[in-house]
Amino acid sequence: MEKGKVYIVGAGPGDPDLITVKAIKCIAEADVILYDRLVNRELLLYGKSGAEYIYCGKAPGIHCVPQEGIHQLLISKSMERKTIVRLKGGDPFIFGRGGEEAEVLAKHGIQFEIVPGITSGIAAPAYAGIPLTHREWGSSFAIVTGHCVTGKPDNINWHHLTHGVDTIVIYMGMKNLPYICKQLRSCGMKPETAIAVIEQGTTGFQRTITGTIDSIVAIVTREQVANPAMIVIGEVVNLSEKLSWFSEKTKDKEFLRKGMIT
């Protein structure tokens, strides 16, 4: 039986100008677009007339469409011989569950392509003036998740991260930030090590909060920092003030929370 084709597309980190040319072409040709919570809605304007849009967003603890439901949608729409775009924030293979969805498609003999996107772990620090590598301050970095299936990221080797790389970039780590800081300290990271939390990176709501391993939890609590946010740990964070180039607008905090992409 002839089936449609699925494009698993990275929508980039939030700034709609950071979408790739290939991603725009895929969106423009799609019959069906399944899009996630952190996808900038402006990108949907590239869709063609008559395209079907299905929201599959997931907030912490709230999944409007379970992952298994997304898998079934991809299968059923492909059986209708549709061209489908699975539009995911950032890059689909960087904590985006794109690999799981590709496995399902492969299992059912459905053609697919992966269209990489700019991931927030690189883009948000860049917009905050934090170079993840620098000849004087950092020659290596690691990207890890701050949230695992069991909740706390207790299967991560924090000792190796603390002693093996110069810069650590953490996705989805806000809820477990106190746990993360405790683990890093217990593994020998200096309490004065610089850390930045970048809220809604690359968007008009971006806000960068800096501190140290010892102070950051109290600071983000006071400043009411919310998801989505990237965490960057290492000496390169100290370059943020000097290299800051992106205008971060100061907004009423309640308005900021309400204005987040949902």
Side-chain angles (χ1 to χ4, degrees):
M1 179 179 175
E2 186 178 346
K3 302 170 186 174
K5 185 171 182 177
V6 178
Y7 294 86
I8 301 178
V9 177
D15 183 344
D17 288 345
L18 295 181
I19 191 78
T20 66
V21 173
K22 183 165 185 177
I24 290 174
K25 289 179 179 178
C26 290
I27 294 169
E29 295 172 2
D31 300 310
V32 183
I33 299 174
L34 284 71
Y35 64 99
D36 280 348
R37 179 174 70 100
L38 298 181
V39 169
N40 192 306
R41 299 297 192 277
E42 289 186 34
L43 299 178
L44 302 181
L45 298 177
Y46 290 109
K48 67 183 180 183
S49 176
E52 180 182 4
Y53 298 89
I54 302 174
Y55 177 65
C56 300
K58 298 175 183 176
I62 304 172
H63 296 178
C64 72
V65 181
Q67 189 63 40
E68 182 58 35
I70 294 172
H71 294 169
Q72 292 305 315
L73 281 168
L74 292 172
I75 294 167
S76 63
K77 293 299 179 181
S78 69
M79 293 301 181
E80 297 173 13
R81 302 181 183 180
K82 301 285 183 68
T83 297
I84 304 151
V85 161
R86 176 69 177 105
L87 194 59
K88 307 173 81 66
D91 180 272
F93 275 8
I94 306 291
F95 303 123
R97 304 190 75 167
E100 296 173 42
E101 293 171 6
E103 283 186 291
V104 169
L105 297 172
K107 179 180 177 180
H108 287 83
I110 299 168
Q111 283 190 312
F112 65 89
E113 285 188 28
I114 309 299
V115 181
I118 298 175
T119 185
S120 296
I122 292 173
Y127 270 53
I130 301 172
L132 294 187
T133 63
H134 188 284
R135 286 203 303 171
E136 294 180 19
W137 302 108
S139 58
S140 62
F141 69 93
I143 291 177
V144 299
T145 178
H147 177 81
C148 297
V149 175
T150 56
K152 287 184 172 62
D154 50 13
N155 61 340
I156 291 174
N157 193 321
W158 294 106
H159 179 83
H160 283 182
L161 284 174
T162 301
H163 298 280
V165 296
D166 298 311
T167 307
I168 305 171
V169 182
I170 303 177
Y171 291 65
M172 302 172 287
M174 287 304 297
K175 180 179 179 181
N176 291 321
L177 184 58
Y179 171 84
I180 291 167
C181 291
K182 180 180 178 181
Q183 290 297 108
L184 293 172
R185 282 195 300 267
S186 68
C187 291
M189 182 170 282
K190 295 178 180 178
E192 65 270 22
T193 301
I195 180 170
V197 177
I198 308 161
E199 182 182 48
Q200 295 212 66
T202 80
T203 75
F205 295 102
Q206 177 174 309
R207 188 166 57 138
T208 302
I209 306 297
T210 58
T212 65
I213 293 295
D214 262 4
S215 68
I216 195 64
V217 172
I219 294 171
V220 298
T221 300
R222 183 184 71 233
E223 295 296 326
Q224 300 179 26
V225 180
N227 285 309
M230 297 299 309
I231 301 167
V232 185
I233 305 166
E235 295 303 315
V236 292
V237 170
N238 292 317
L239 294 168
S240 178
E241 185 174 353
K242 182 191 297 184
L243 302 182
S244 178
W245 61 272
F246 182 68
S247 177
E248 296 188 5
K249 301 178 179 63
T250 303
K251 295 180 173 64
D252 177 80
K253 292 184 180 67
E254 183 63 27
F255 175 75
L256 178 68
R257 289 196 295 274
K258 290 180 178 178
M260 292 174 68
I261 299 171
T262 57

